[in-house]
Coordinates of all heavy atoms in Angstrom, one line a residue:
M6 N -84.0 57.4 24.0 CA -82.9 57.5 23.2 C -83.1 56.7 21.8 O -83.6 55.6 21.8 CB -81.7 56.8 23.9 CG -80.4 57.4 23.6 SD -79.0 56.6 24.4 CE -79.3 56.9 26.1
D7 N -82.8 57.4 20.7 CA -83.1 56.7 19.4 C -82.1 55.7 19.1 O -81.0 55.6 19.8 CB -83.3 57.7 18.3 CG -82.0 58.4 17.9 OD1 -81.0 58.4 18.8 OD2 -81.9 59.0 16.8
D8 N -82.3 54.8 18.1 CA -81.5 53.7 17.8 C -80.1 54.1 17.4 O -79.1 53.4 17.6 CB -82.1 52.8 16.7 CG -83.3 52.1 17.3 OD1 -83.4 51.9 18.5 OD2 -84.2 51.7 16.5
S9 N -80.0 55.2 16.6 CA -78.6 55.6 16.1 C -77.7 56.0 17.3 O -76.5 55.7 17.3 CB -78.7 56.8 15.1 OG -79.3 57.9 15.8
V10 N -78.2 56.6 18.3 CA -77.4 57.0 19.5 C -77.0 55.7 20.2 O -75.9 55.6 20.6 CB -78.2 58.0 20.4 CG1 -77.4 58.2 21.7 CG2 -78.4 59.3 19.7
K11 N -77.9 54.8 20.4 CA -77.6 53.5 21.0 C -76.5 52.8 20.3 O -75.6 52.3 20.9 CB -78.9 52.6 21.1 CG -79.9 53.1 22.2 CD -81.1 52.2 22.2 CE -82.2 52.7 23.1 NZ -83.3 51.8 23.0
S12 N -76.6 52.7 19.0 CA -75.6 51.9 18.2 C -74.3 52.6 18.3 O -73.2 52.0 18.4 CB -76.0 51.8 16.8 OG -76.1 53.0 16.1
R13 N -74.2 54.0 18.3 CA -72.9 54.7 18.4 C -72.3 54.4 19.8 O -71.1 54.2 19.9 CB -73.1 56.2 18.2 CG -73.1 56.5 16.7 CD -73.2 58.0 16.5 NE -74.6 58.3 16.6 CZ -75.1 59.5 16.9 NH1 -74.3 60.5 17.1 NH2 -76.4 59.8 16.9
R14 N -73.2 54.4 20.8 CA -72.7 54.2 22.1 C -72.1 52.8 22.3 O -71.0 52.6 22.9 CB -73.8 54.4 23.2 CG -73.2 54.3 24.6 CD -74.2 54.8 25.6 NE -74.4 56.2 25.5 CZ -75.4 56.9 25.9 NH1 -76.5 56.3 26.4 NH2 -75.5 58.2 25.8
K15 N -72.8 51.8 21.7 CA -72.3 50.4 21.7 C -71.0 50.3 21.0 O -70.1 49.6 21.5 CB -73.3 49.5 21.1 CG -74.5 49.2 21.9 CD -75.5 48.3 21.2 CE -76.8 48.1 21.9 NZ -77.7 47.3 21.2
R16 N -70.8 51.0 19.9 CA -69.6 50.9 19.1 C -68.4 51.5 20.0 O -67.3 51.0 20.0 CB -69.7 51.6 17.8 CG -70.1 50.7 16.7 CD -70.0 51.3 15.4 NE -71.4 51.7 15.0 CZ -71.8 52.8 14.5 NH1 -70.9 53.7 14.2 NH2 -73.0 53.1 14.2
R17 N -68.7 52.7 20.6 CA -67.7 53.3 21.4 C -67.2 52.4 22.6 O -66.0 52.3 22.8 CB -68.2 54.6 22.0 CG -68.2 55.7 21.0 CD -68.5 57.0 21.6 NE -69.1 57.9 20.7 CZ -70.2 58.6 20.9 NH1 -70.8 58.6 22.1 NH2 -70.8 59.3 20.0
I18 N -68.2 51.8 23.2 CA -67.8 50.9 24.3 C -67.1 49.7 23.8 O -66.1 49.2 24.4 CB -69.1 50.4 25.1 CG1 -69.7 51.6 25.8 CG2 -68.8 49.3 26.1 CD1 -71.1 51.4 26.4
A19 N -67.5 49.1 22.6 CA -66.8 47.9 22.1 C -65.4 48.3 21.7 O -64.5 47.4 21.7 CB -67.6 47.4 20.9
N20 N -65.2 49.5 21.2 CA -63.8 49.9 20.8 C -62.9 50.0 22.0 O -61.7 50.0 21.8 CB -63.8 51.3 20.1 CG -64.5 51.2 18.7 OD1 -64.5 50.1 18.1 ND2 -64.9 52.3 18.3
R21 N -63.3 50.0 23.2 CA -62.5 50.1 24.4 C -62.1 48.7 24.9 O -61.3 48.6 25.8 CB -63.2 50.8 25.5 CG -63.5 52.3 25.1 CD -64.1 53.0 26.2 NE -64.7 54.2 25.8 CZ -65.7 54.8 26.3 NH1 -66.4 54.3 27.3 NH2 -66.2 56.0 25.8
T22 N -62.6 47.6 24.3 CA -62.3 46.3 24.9 C -60.9 45.8 24.6 O -60.3 45.0 25.3 CB -63.3 45.3 24.4 OG1 -63.2 45.2 22.9 CG2 -64.7 45.6 24.7
G23 N -60.3 46.2 23.4 CA -59.0 45.8 23.1 C -59.0 44.4 22.5 O -57.9 43.8 22.4
C24 N -60.1 43.8 22.2 CA -60.2 42.5 21.6 C -59.6 42.4 20.2 O -59.8 43.3 19.4 CB -61.7 42.1 21.6 SG -62.0 40.5 20.8
A25 N -58.8 41.4 19.9 CA -58.1 41.2 18.6 C -59.1 41.0 17.5 O -58.9 41.6 16.4 CB -57.2 40.0 18.7
V26 N -60.2 40.4 17.8 CA -61.2 40.2 16.7 C -61.9 41.5 16.4 O -62.1 41.8 15.2 CB -62.3 39.2 17.2 CG1 -63.5 39.1 16.2 CG2 -61.7 37.8 17.4
E27 N -62.1 42.3 17.4 CA -62.7 43.6 17.2 C -61.8 44.5 16.4 O -62.2 45.2 15.5 CB -63.0 44.3 18.5 CG -63.6 45.7 18.4 CD -63.7 46.4 19.7 OE1 -63.4 45.8 20.8 OE2 -64.1 47.5 19.7
A28 N -60.5 44.4 16.7 CA -59.5 45.2 15.9 C -59.5 44.8 14.4 O -59.4 45.6 13.5 CB -58.1 45.1 16.5
T29 N -59.5 43.5 14.2 CA -59.5 42.9 12.8 C -60.8 43.4 12.1 O -60.7 43.8 10.9 CB -59.4 41.4 12.9 OG1 -58.3 41.0 13.6 CG2 -59.4 40.8 11.5
I30 N -61.9 43.3 12.7 CA -63.2 43.7 12.0 C -63.1 45.2 11.7 O -63.6 45.6 10.7 CB -64.4 43.3 12.9 CG1 -64.5 41.8 13.0 CG2 -65.7 43.9 12.3 CD1 -64.6 41.0 11.7
S31 N -62.6 46.0 12.6 CA -62.5 47.4 12.4 C -61.7 47.8 11.2 O -61.9 48.8 10.5 CB -62.1 48.2 13.6 OG -60.7 48.0 13.8
V32 N -60.6 46.9 10.9 CA -59.7 47.2 9.8 C -60.3 46.6 8.5 O -60.3 47.3 7.4 CB -58.3 46.6 10.0 CG1 -57.5 46.6 8.8 CG2 -57.7 47.3 11.2
I33 N -60.8 45.4 8.5 CA -61.3 44.8 7.2 C -62.8 44.7 7.1 O -63.3 44.1 6.2 CB -60.7 43.4 7.0 CG1 -61.1 42.4 8.1 CG2 -59.2 43.5 6.9 CD1 -60.8 41.0 7.7
G34 N -63.5 45.3 8.1 CA -65.0 45.3 8.0 C -65.6 46.1 6.9 O -64.9 46.9 6.3
G35 N -66.8 45.9 6.6 CA -67.5 46.7 5.6 C -67.9 45.7 4.5 O -67.7 44.5 4.5
L36 N -68.5 46.3 3.5 CA -69.0 45.5 2.4 C -68.0 45.1 1.3 O -67.9 44.0 0.8 CB -70.2 46.2 1.7 CG -70.9 45.5 0.6 CD1 -71.5 44.2 1.1 CD2 -72.0 46.4 0.0
W37 N -67.1 46.1 1.0 CA -66.2 45.9 -0.2 C -64.8 45.5 0.2 O -64.1 44.9 -0.6 CB -66.2 47.1 -1.1 CG -67.6 47.4 -1.6 CD1 -68.4 48.4 -1.3 CD2 -68.3 46.5 -2.4 NE1 -69.6 48.3 -1.9 CE2 -69.6 47.1 -2.6 CE3 -68.1 45.3 -3.1 CZ2 -70.6 46.6 -3.4 CZ3 -69.1 44.8 -3.9 CH2 -70.3 45.4 -4.0
K38 N -64.3 45.8 1.4 CA -62.9 45.4 1.8 C -62.7 43.9 1.7 O -61.7 43.5 1.1 CB -62.6 46.0 3.1 CG -62.3 47.5 3.1 CD -62.0 47.9 4.5 CE -61.9 49.4 4.6 NZ -61.6 49.9 6.0
P39 N -63.6 43.1 2.3 CA -63.3 41.7 2.2 C -63.3 41.2 0.7 O -62.5 40.3 0.4 CB -64.4 41.0 3.0 CG -64.9 42.1 3.9 CD -64.7 43.4 3.1
V40 N -64.2 41.7 -0.1 CA -64.2 41.3 -1.5 C -62.9 41.7 -2.2 O -62.3 40.9 -3.0 CB -65.4 42.0 -2.2 CG1 -65.4 41.7 -3.7 CG2 -66.7 41.5 -1.6
I41 N -62.4 42.9 -2.0 CA -61.2 43.4 -2.6 C -60.0 42.5 -2.1 O -59.2 42.0 -2.9 CB -60.9 44.9 -2.2 CG1 -61.9 45.8 -2.9 CG2 -59.5 45.3 -2.6 CD1 -61.9 47.2 -2.5
L42 N -60.0 42.2 -0.8 CA -58.9 41.4 -0.3 C -59.0 40.0 -0.9 O -57.9 39.4 -1.2 CB -59.0 41.3 1.2 CG -58.7 42.6 2.0 CD1 -58.9 42.4 3.5 CD2 -57.3 43.0 1.7
F43 N -60.2 39.4 -1.1 CA -60.3 38.1 -1.7 C -59.7 38.1 -3.1 O -59.0 37.2 -3.5 CB -61.8 37.7 -1.8 CG -62.1 36.5 -2.6 CD1 -61.8 35.2 -2.0 CD2 -62.6 36.6 -3.9 CE1 -62.0 34.1 -2.8 CE2 -62.8 35.4 -4.6 CZ -62.5 34.2 -4.1
H44 N -60.0 39.1 -3.9 CA -59.5 39.2 -5.3 C -57.9 39.4 -5.3 O -57.3 38.9 -6.2 CB -60.2 40.3 -6.1 CG -61.6 39.9 -6.4 ND1 -62.0 38.8 -7.0 CD2 -62.7 40.6 -6.1 CE1 -63.3 38.8 -7.2 NE2 -63.8 39.9 -6.6
L45 N -57.4 40.1 -4.3 CA -56.0 40.3 -4.2 C -55.2 39.0 -3.7 O -54.0 39.0 -3.8 CB -55.7 41.5 -3.3 CG -56.0 42.8 -3.9 CD1 -55.8 43.9 -2.9 CD2 -55.2 43.1 -5.2
L46 N -55.9 38.0 -3.2 CA -55.3 36.8 -2.8 C -54.5 36.1 -4.0 O -53.5 35.4 -3.8 CB -56.3 35.8 -2.2 CG -56.8 36.1 -0.8 CD1 -57.9 35.2 -0.4 CD2 -55.7 36.1 0.2
D47 N -55.0 36.3 -5.2 CA -54.4 35.7 -6.4 C -53.2 36.5 -6.9 O -52.5 36.0 -7.7 CB -55.5 35.7 -7.5 CG -56.6 34.7 -7.2 OD1 -56.4 33.8 -6.5 OD2 -57.7 35.0 -7.7
G48 N -52.9 37.7 -6.4 CA -51.8 38.4 -6.8 C -52.1 39.9 -7.0 O -53.2 40.4 -6.7
K49 N -51.2 40.5 -7.7 CA -51.3 42.0 -8.0 C -52.5 42.2 -8.9 O -52.7 41.4 -9.9 CB -50.0 42.5 -8.7 CG -48.8 42.5 -7.8 CD -47.6 43.0 -8.6 CE -46.4 42.9 -7.7 NZ -45.2 43.4 -8.5
L50 N -53.1 43.3 -8.7 CA -54.2 43.8 -9.6 C -54.1 45.3 -9.8 O -53.8 46.0 -8.9 CB -55.6 43.4 -9.0 CG -56.0 42.0 -9.0 CD1 -57.3 41.8 -8.2 CD2 -56.2 41.4 -10.4
R51 N -54.5 45.7 -11.0 CA -54.6 47.1 -11.3 C -56.0 47.6 -10.9 O -56.9 46.8 -10.7 CB -54.3 47.4 -12.8 CG -52.9 47.0 -13.1 CD -52.5 47.3 -14.5 NE -52.6 48.8 -14.7 CZ -52.3 49.3 -15.9 NH1 -51.9 48.6 -16.9 NH2 -52.3 50.6 -16.1
F52 N -56.1 48.9 -10.8 CA -57.4 49.5 -10.3 C -58.6 49.0 -11.2 O -59.6 48.6 -10.7 CB -57.3 51.0 -10.3 CG -58.6 51.6 -9.8 CD1 -58.9 51.7 -8.5 CD2 -59.4 52.2 -10.8 CE1 -60.1 52.3 -8.1 CE2 -60.6 52.8 -10.4 CZ -61.0 52.8 -9.0
N53 N -58.4 49.1 -12.5 CA -59.5 48.7 -13.4 C -59.9 47.3 -13.3 O -61.1 46.9 -13.4 CB -59.2 49.1 -14.8 CG -59.3 50.6 -15.1 OD1 -60.1 51.3 -14.4 ND2 -58.6 51.1 -16.1
A54 N -58.9 46.4 -13.0 CA -59.2 45.0 -12.8 C -60.1 44.8 -11.6 O -61.0 44.0 -11.6 CB -57.9 44.2 -12.7
I55 N -59.7 45.5 -10.5 CA -60.5 45.5 -9.3 C -62.0 46.0 -9.6 O -62.9 45.4 -9.1 CB -59.9 46.3 -8.1 CG1 -58.5 45.6 -7.8 CG2 -60.8 46.3 -6.9 CD1 -57.7 46.5 -6.8
C56 N -62.1 47.0 -10.3 CA -63.4 47.5 -10.7 C -64.2 46.5 -11.5 O -65.4 46.4 -11.2 CB -63.3 48.8 -11.5 SG -62.8 50.3 -10.5
R57 N -63.6 45.8 -12.4 CA -64.3 44.8 -13.2 C -64.7 43.6 -12.4 O -65.8 43.0 -12.6 CB -63.4 44.3 -14.4 CG -63.3 45.3 -15.5 CD -62.7 44.6 -16.8 NE -61.3 44.1 -16.5 CZ -60.2 44.9 -16.6 NH1 -60.4 46.2 -17.0 NH2 -59.0 44.4 -16.4
L58 N -63.9 43.3 -11.4 CA -64.2 42.1 -10.5 C -65.3 42.5 -9.5 O -65.9 41.5 -8.9 CB -62.9 41.7 -9.8 CG -61.9 41.0 -10.7 CD1 -60.6 40.8 -9.9 CD2 -62.4 39.7 -11.2
T59 N -65.5 43.7 -9.2 CA -66.6 44.2 -8.3 C -67.5 45.2 -9.0 O -67.5 46.4 -8.6 CB -65.9 44.8 -7.0 OG1 -65.1 45.8 -7.4 CG2 -65.2 43.8 -6.2
P60 N -68.3 44.7 -9.9 CA -69.1 45.7 -10.7 C -70.2 46.4 -9.9 O -70.6 47.4 -10.3 CB -69.7 44.8 -11.8 CG -69.7 43.4 -11.2 CD -68.5 43.4 -10.3
A61 N -70.6 45.8 -8.8 CA -71.6 46.5 -8.0 C -71.1 47.7 -7.2 O -71.9 48.5 -6.7 CB -72.3 45.5 -7.1
A62 N -69.8 47.8 -7.0 CA -69.2 48.9 -6.3 C -68.8 50.0 -7.2 O -68.3 49.7 -8.3 CB -68.0 48.4 -5.5
T63 N -69.0 51.2 -6.8 CA -68.6 52.3 -7.6 C -67.1 52.5 -7.6 O -66.5 52.1 -6.6 CB -69.3 53.6 -7.2 OG1 -68.8 53.9 -5.9 CG2 -70.8 53.5 -7.2
P64 N -66.5 53.1 -8.6 CA -65.1 53.4 -8.6 C -64.7 54.2 -7.4 O -63.6 54.0 -6.8 CB -64.8 54.1 -9.9 CG -65.9 53.6 -10.8 CD -67.1 53.4 -9.9
R65 N -65.5 55.2 -7.0 CA -65.2 56.0 -5.9 C -65.1 55.2 -4.6 O -64.3 55.4 -3.7 CB -66.3 57.1 -5.7 CG -66.3 57.9 -4.4 CD -65.6 59.2 -4.6 NE -65.7 59.9 -3.4 CZ -64.7 60.3 -2.7 NH1 -63.4 60.1 -3.0 NH2 -64.9 61.1 -1.6
M66 N -66.1 54.3 -4.4 CA -66.1 53.4 -3.2 C -64.8 52.5 -3.2 O -64.2 52.3 -2.1 CB -67.4 52.6 -3.1 CG -67.5 51.7 -1.9 SD -67.3 52.6 -0.3 CE -68.7 53.6 -0.3
I67 N -64.5 52.0 -4.3 CA -63.3 51.1 -4.4 C -62.1 52.0 -4.0 O -61.2 51.5 -3.3 CB -63.2 50.5 -5.8 CG1 -64.3 49.5 -6.0 CG2 -61.8 49.8 -5.9 CD1 -64.4 48.9 -7.4
T68 N -62.0 53.2 -4.5 CA -60.9 54.0 -4.2 C -60.8 54.3 -2.7 O -59.7 54.2 -2.1 CB -61.0 55.4 -5.0 OG1 -61.0 55.1 -6.4 CG2 -59.9 56.3 -4.6
L69 N -61.9 54.6 -2.1 CA -61.9 54.9 -0.7 C -61.5 53.6 0.1 O -60.7 53.7 1.1 CB -63.3 55.3 -0.2 CG -63.7 56.7 -0.7 CD1 -65.2 56.9 -0.3 CD2 -62.9 57.8 -0.1
Q70 N -62.0 52.5 -0.3 CA -61.6 51.2 0.4 C -60.1 50.9 0.3 O -59.5 50.5 1.2 CB -62.5 50.1 -0.1 CG -64.0 50.3 0.1 CD -64.4 50.3 1.5 OE1 -64.5 49.3 2.2 NE2 -64.7 51.5 2.0
L71 N -59.6 51.1 -0.9 CA -58.2 50.8 -1.2 C -57.3 51.8 -0.4 O -56.3 51.4 0.2 CB -57.9 51.0 -2.7 CG -58.4 49.8 -3.6 CD1 -58.2 50.2 -5.0 CD2 -57.7 48.5 -3.3
R72 N -57.7 53.0 -0.3 CA -57.0 54.0 0.5 C -56.9 53.6 2.0 O -55.9 53.7 2.7 CB -57.5 55.4 0.4 CG -57.2 56.0 -0.9 CD -57.8 57.4 -1.0 NE -57.6 58.0 -2.3 CZ -58.3 59.0 -2.8 NH1 -59.1 59.7 -2.0 NH2 -58.1 59.5 -4.0
E73 N -58.1 53.1 2.5 CA -58.1 52.7 3.9 C -57.3 51.5 4.2 O -56.6 51.4 5.2 CB -59.6 52.5 4.3 CG -60.4 53.7 4.5 CD -61.8 53.5 4.9 OE1 -62.2 52.3 5.3 OE2 -62.7 54.4 4.7
L74 N -57.4 50.5 3.2 CA -56.5 49.3 3.4 C -55.1 49.6 3.3 O -54.2 49.1 4.0 CB -56.9 48.3 2.3 CG -58.3 47.6 2.5 CD1 -58.7 46.9 1.2 CD2 -58.3 46.7 3.7
E75 N -54.7 50.6 2.4 CA -53.3 51.0 2.3 C -52.8 51.7 3.6 O -51.7 51.4 4.1 CB -53.1 51.9 1.1 CG -51.7 52.3 0.9 CD -51.5 53.2 -0.3 OE1 -52.5 53.8 -0.8 OE2 -50.3 53.4 -0.7
A76 N -53.7 52.6 4.1 CA -53.3 53.3 5.4 C -53.2 52.4 6.5 O -52.4 52.6 7.4 CB -54.4 54.3 5.6
D77 N -53.9 51.3 6.5 CA -53.8 50.3 7.6 C -52.7 49.3 7.4 O -52.5 48.4 8.3 CB -55.2 49.5 7.8 CG -56.3 50.4 8.3 OD1 -55.9 51.4 9.1 OD2 -57.5 50.2 8.0
G78 N -52.0 49.4 6.3 CA -50.9 48.5 6.0 C -51.3 47.1 5.5 O -50.5 46.2 5.6
I79 N -52.5 46.9 5.1 CA -53.0 45.6 4.6 C -52.6 45.4 3.1 O -52.3 44.3 2.7 CB -54.5 45.5 4.7 CG1 -55.0 45.8 6.1 CG2 -55.0 44.2 4.3 CD1 -54.4 44.9 7.2
I80 N -52.5 46.4 2.3 CA -52.1 46.3 0.9 C -51.0 47.3 0.6 O -50.9 48.3 1.3 CB -53.3 46.5 0.0 CG1 -53.9 47.9 0.1 CG2 -54.4 45.5 0.1 CD1 -54.9 48.3 -1.0
D81 N -50.3 47.0 -0.4 CA -49.2 47.9 -1.0 C -49.7 48.5 -2.3 O -50.4 47.7 -3.1 CB -47.9 47.2 -1.2 CG -47.1 47.0 0.0 OD1 -47.2 47.8 1.0 OD2 -46.3 46.0 0.1
R82 N -49.4 49.7 -2.5 CA -49.7 50.4 -3.8 C -48.4 50.7 -4.5 O -47.6 51.4 -3.9 CB -50.5 51.6 -3.5 CG -50.9 52.4 -4.7 CD -51.7 53.6 -4.2 NE -52.2 54.4 -5.4 CZ -52.1 55.7 -5.5 NH1 -51.6 56.4 -4.5 NH2 -52.4 56.3 -6.5
T83 N -48.2 50.2 -5.7 CA -47.0 50.4 -6.4 C -47.4 51.3 -7.6 O -48.2 50.9 -8.4 CB -46.4 49.1 -6.9 OG1 -46.2 48.2 -5.8 CG2 -45.1 49.4 -7.6
I84 N -46.7 52.4 -7.8 CA -46.9 53.4 -8.9 C -45.7 53.3 -9.8 O -44.6 53.5 -9.4 CB -47.1 54.8 -8.4 CG1 -48.2 54.9 -7.4 CG2 -47.4 55.7 -9.5 CD1 -48.3 56.2 -6.6
Y85 N -46.0 53.0 -11.1 CA -44.9 52.9 -12.1 C -44.8 54.2 -12.8 O -45.9 54.8 -13.2 CB -45.2 51.8 -13.0 CG -45.1 50.4 -12.3 CD1 -46.3 49.8 -11.9 CD2 -43.9 49.7 -12.1 CE1 -46.3 48.6 -11.2 CE2 -43.9 48.5 -11.5 CZ -45.1 48.0 -11.0 OH -45.1 46.7 -10.4
P86 N -43.6 54.8 -13.0 CA -43.5 56.1 -13.7 C -43.7 55.9 -15.2 O -42.7 55.9 -16.0 CB -42.1 56.5 -13.3 CG -41.3 55.2 -13.1 CD -42.4 54.3 -12.5
E87 N -44.9 55.8 -15.6 CA -45.2 55.6 -17.0 C -46.3 56.6 -17.4 O -47.0 57.2 -16.5 CB -45.8 54.2 -17.3 CG -44.9 53.1 -17.0 CD -45.5 51.7 -17.2 OE1 -46.7 51.7 -17.6 OE2 -44.9 50.7 -17.0
I88 N -46.5 56.8 -18.7 CA -47.7 57.5 -19.1 C -48.5 56.6 -20.1 O -47.9 56.2 -21.1 CB -47.2 58.8 -19.9 CG1 -46.5 59.7 -18.9 CG2 -48.4 59.5 -20.5 CD1 -46.0 61.0 -19.4
P89 N -49.7 56.3 -19.8 CA -50.5 56.7 -18.6 C -50.0 56.0 -17.3 O -49.3 54.9 -17.5 CB -51.9 56.3 -18.9 CG -51.7 55.2 -19.9 CD -50.5 55.5 -20.7
P90 N -50.2 56.6 -16.2 CA -49.7 56.0 -14.9 C -50.2 54.6 -14.7 O -51.4 54.3 -15.0 CB -50.2 56.9 -13.8 CG -50.6 58.1 -14.5 CD -50.9 57.8 -15.9
K91 N -49.4 53.7 -14.3 CA -49.7 52.3 -14.0 C -49.6 52.1 -12.5 O -48.6 52.4 -11.9 CB -48.8 51.4 -14.7 CG -49.1 49.9 -14.4 CD -48.1 49.0 -15.1 CE -48.2 47.6 -14.7 NZ -47.2 46.7 -15.4
V92 N -50.7 51.7 -11.8 CA -50.8 51.5 -10.4 C -51.2 50.1 -10.2 O -52.2 49.6 -10.7 CB -51.7 52.5 -9.7 CG1 -51.8 52.2 -8.2 CG2 -51.3 53.9 -10.0
E93 N -50.5 49.3 -9.3 CA -50.9 48.0 -8.9 C -51.0 47.9 -7.4 O -50.3 48.5 -6.7 CB -49.8 47.0 -9.4 CG -49.7 46.8 -10.9 CD -48.7 45.8 -11.3 OE1 -47.7 45.5 -10.5 OE2 -48.8 45.2 -12.3
Y94 N -52.0 47.0 -7.0 CA -52.2 46.8 -5.6 C -51.9 45.3 -5.3 O -52.2 44.4 -6.1 CB -53.7 47.1 -5.3 CG -54.0 48.5 -5.5 CD1 -54.6 49.0 -6.7 CD2 -53.8 49.4 -4.5 CE1 -54.9 50.3 -6.9 CE2 -54.2 50.8 -4.6 CZ -54.7 51.2 -5.8 OH -55.0 52.5 -6.0
Q95 N -51.4 45.1 -4.1 CA -51.1 43.7 -3.7 C -51.2 43.6 -2.2 O -51.0 44.6 -1.5 CB -49.7 43.2 -4.2 CG -48.6 43.9 -3.6 CD -47.2 43.5 -4.2 OE1 -47.2 42.6 -5.0 NE2 -46.2 44.0 -3.7
L96 N -51.4 42.4 -1.7 CA -51.4 42.2 -0.2 C -50.0 42.4 0.3 O -49.0 42.0 -0.3 CB -51.9 40.9 0.1 CG -53.4 40.6 -0.2 CD1 -53.7 39.1 0.0 CD2 -54.3 41.5 0.5
T97 N -49.9 42.9 1.5 CA -48.6 43.0 2.2 C -48.3 41.6 2.9 O -49.2 40.8 3.0 CB -48.6 44.1 3.3 OG1 -49.6 43.8 4.2 CG2 -48.8 45.4 2.7
E98 N -47.1 41.5 3.3 CA -46.7 40.2 4.0 C -47.5 40.2 5.3 O -47.8 39.2 5.8 CB -45.2 40.2 4.3 CG -44.4 40.1 3.0 CD -44.6 38.8 2.3 OE1 -44.7 37.7 3.0 OE2 -44.6 38.8 1.1

């Protein structure tokens, strides 16, 4: 069995344990989510500010990470009805 199949099987088994640490890592794990969350500790940030604070990440990757964090209820996204659109991100309670 090659290594990729072994690692996928380990992840599937680990997902069945119900451990709180495992659940947390599955939500905030990855390379950019912890960095984004760190920057949001100071308060609300707009998308371009997050991009400036994480120059090694592409805007596409930041967008994907923000969407996942929003879907998991970790951050709130506020859209202001302006032209150009203003969007701010902040941590949830």
Side-chain angles (χ1 to χ4, degrees):
M6 210 180 298
D7 68 341
D8 291 338
S9 63
V10 173
K11 287 180 186 177
S12 65
R13 278 185 276 159
R14 183 170 291 156
K15 286 179 186 176
R16 269 188 258 138
R17 282 191 210 133
I18 293 170
N20 288 337
R21 296 183 194 151
T22 63
C24 174
V26 173
E27 179 185 358
T29 303
I30 295 300
S31 71
V32 172
I33 64 167
L36 182 60
W37 299 113
K38 286 181 186 178
V40 175
I41 292 169
L42 292 174
F43 171 77
H44 291 304
L45 288 174
L46 287 173
D47 293 332
K49 296 179 183 180
L50 287 174
R51 294 182 68 178
F52 178 78
N53 283 335
I55 296 171
C56 288
R57 280 192 302 274
L58 291 168
T59 54
T63 64
R65 169 96 173 121
M66 182 53 67
I67 293 172
T68 299
L69 292 172
Q70 301 293 286
L71 288 169
R72 286 181 185 165
E73 288 178 15
L74 288 168
E75 182 183 13
D77 290 330
I79 306 299
I80 62 172
D81 279 332
R82 180 178 180 227
T83 306
I84 304 170
Y85 296 95
E87 301 177 359
I88 295 180
K91 177 181 174 183
V92 179
E93 290 181 334
Y94 296 92
Q95 66 182 0
L96 295 174
T97 59
E98 292 296 322

